[in-house]
Amino acid sequence: MNGRRAARTPALLLALLTAACTAQPGTGPDDGDARDPRPSTGSSQPAEDLPHGITFRQSVRRLADGGPVRVSVLAVAPDAPADIRTGHGGTVARTDTVLDLARAADAIAAVNGTYFDSDSARYKGDPLGLYVSDGTLLSEATNGRTALILPGRGERPRITELRSATYVTSSDGARAVVDGTDRVPGRIVGCGGVGGDRRTDTGARTGDPLPGRVCFDPDELVDFPDQWGAPTPGADRHSVEAVLDANGTVTAVRTPAGGPVPAGGRTLVGIGTAAGWLRAHATPGRTLTVESHVTDPDGSAVDTEGASIVGAGPALVRHGRAWINAAANGVSQAAVSSRSPRTVAGIRPDGTLLLVVFDGRRPGVSEGVSLTEAAGVLVSLGAEDAINLDGGGSSTMVVRDKVRNSPSDPGDTDEERQRKVSNALLVVPRRLAP
């Protein structure tokens, strides 16, 4: 799914949102939240032998109009012997199921993560918006959109709006803006980029996030670290690609662009005026230094060392109250109010991370939730802050090597109904330092 949708909801609606869903009696493992102790009517799928501080619970709730929704909640306390990070399989460019990503990381649990370019013919795994894995920026921000920050060990997660900026400096002293990371040069899905982007439908300049829209820029410089894992996209015959080794030394220049990324190195692809910059300043033997920075709404630098970050949005809860920042995320009111399968993340005041999946598209069984309804559930679970992640057919919850929800894509079993996704949030056992 690559749509990003929401609308600002006044905090005065909190009481209505909290009352919008009620849990029904039944059986299932407790998620440790005394404010929402009632278990489910539906069949639960308990996950045995979870480490201390990690709980999993499922329930069927009734929405305000009586419609049912099946909710899967994984709670990871700050003292749990586990780390939460992102994972994207072998390469950024390709997709994998959440179950495969969890197995590759030997994860205790996992849910799907960012939006991604599912419409791409060759690079469906391309994350749309900010994606940082183990401290490395692998996709630039859709500037101003909400993001989940999973910092290094011992620090609590947080949710806020983020921007990113990347620059390249040549050993001859020249410096240039890098427009994007790990994407097709000139094609900005969701817009919200830098450097004179234009809407493909109107030609108007814009720097705003526009989910579902595509912008273009004929003059772009795009960075491909080796995590990209595929030949770089070919460009027009005037494009230029600088090939860098692990030390940043230019070892070759390709014209036109398109080819393998060296192990441990990277390439930079330029089109339009950016191709001219590479011709002038990326000659073989020179060194190019690429630096990326992530900043919060105050302009303060976000420490990305060892961190994972997923940009998605909109926000659902802020300071313990329902707060859906649709305008900042370019999301329509219709998208806020429509029911779909959803994956969301929330943070309790004590730092507990909540990973929540709402099943949908199953009339009479589980109808999904609107963003407004999702916000109400997260408030009832005690979230101080919450964010909407990718949803629809992507929404998947894996616990102990088993798909625990019912994804909405076609298939005979829950495992077969999984959609391949760009990346996942992984709960992995904490290993002692050597």
Side-chain angles (χ1 to χ4, degrees), residues 3 45 53 61 68 73 111-112 140 158 174 197 206 215 240 252 273-274 294 322 337 347-348 368 393 407 431-432:
Q45 299 179 34
R61 292 174 175 244
V73 181
V111 299
N112 59 293
E140 79 278 11
R158 64 189 180 106
D197 298 351
T206 182
C215 286
V240 174
T273 57
V294 177
S337 58
I347 305 167
R348 287 177 175 156
R431 292 177 171 82
L432 297 177

Side-chain angles (χ1 to χ4, degrees), residues 5-7 331-340 342 370-371:
R5 305 179 164 101
V331 179
S332 70
Q333 180 60 46
V336 174
S337 58
S338 62
R339 285 179 177 167
S340 292
R342 308 274 183 191
S370 68
L371 292 176

Side-chain angles (χ1 to χ4, degrees), residues 26-261:
T27 60
D30 187 2
D31 71 352
D33 183 7
R35 284 162 292 193
D36 186 30
R38 294 162 294 181
S40 84
T41 57
S43 61
S44 64
Q45 299 179 34
E48 299 83 3
D49 302 322
L50 289 174
H52 166 78
I54 301 177
T55 57
F56 174 70
R57 177 189 177 188
Q58 289 183 311
S59 63
V60 175
R61 292 174 175 244
R62 292 286 171 180
L63 302 169
D65 63 359
V69 61
R70 186 184 187 210
V71 187
S72 302
V73 181
L74 185 83
V76 185
D79 62 348
D83 295 314
I84 307 165
R85 60 175 177 82
T86 54
H88 53 267
T91 72
V92 173
R94 79 178 191 201
T95 54
D96 296 276
T97 67
V98 175
L99 184 57
D100 284 343
L101 292 170
R103 286 173 172 169
D106 195 23
I108 300 164
V111 299
N112 59 293
T114 62
Y115 304 112
F116 56 100
D117 194 1
S118 59
D119 293 330
S120 172
R122 295 181 59 192
Y123 308 110
K124 294 184 184 298
D126 175 14
L128 302 180
L130 185 59
Y131 178 59
V132 174
S133 181
D134 194 22
T136 300
L137 188 142
L138 297 175
S139 178
E140 79 278 11
T142 303
N143 280 320
R145 294 208 69 175
T146 308
L148 169 66
I149 305 170
L150 301 170
R153 185 176 299 183
E155 300 179 60
R156 62 166 290 165
R158 64 189 180 106
I159 295 168
T160 189
E161 289 64 55
L162 296 178
R163 295 178 175 270
S164 67
T166 300
Y167 301 92
V168 58
T169 304
S170 172
S171 54
D172 69 1
R175 192 169 189 249
V177 171
V178 177
D179 298 81
T181 301
D182 289 337
R183 64 167 171 81
V184 176
R187 181 174 182 263
I188 308 98
V189 180
C191 304
V194 298
D197 298 351
R198 293 182 179 271
R199 293 179 55 161
T200 54
D201 54 350
T202 66
R205 286 185 178 273
T206 182
D208 297 329
L210 298 170
R213 303 285 185 179
V214 179
C215 286
F216 73 95
D217 184 347
D219 304 297
E220 279 207 316
L221 192 59
V222 176
D223 177 36
F224 292 91
D226 72 335
Q227 290 94 331
W228 173 246
T232 54
D236 65 66
R237 62 189 181 90
H238 301 294
S239 61
V240 174
E241 182 170 20
V243 181
L244 283 60
D245 65 15
N247 298 315
T249 302
V250 179
T251 60
V253 177
R254 297 194 282 244
T255 302
V261 180

Side-chain angles (χ1 to χ4, degrees), residues 286-345:
R286 282 184 176 158
T287 299
L288 299 183
T289 302
V290 179
E291 297 177 295
S292 297
H293 307 280
V294 177
T295 53
D296 65 15
D298 296 329
S300 300
V302 174
D303 183 5
T304 60
E305 184 175 357
S308 293
I309 304 175
V310 289
L316 299 176
V317 178
R318 189 67 49 93
H319 305 306
R321 311 181 74 175
W323 187 77
I324 304 176
N325 59 345
N329 284 267
V331 179
S332 70
Q333 180 60 46
V336 174
S337 58
S338 62
R339 285 179 177 167
S340 292
R342 308 274 183 191
T343 301
V344 305

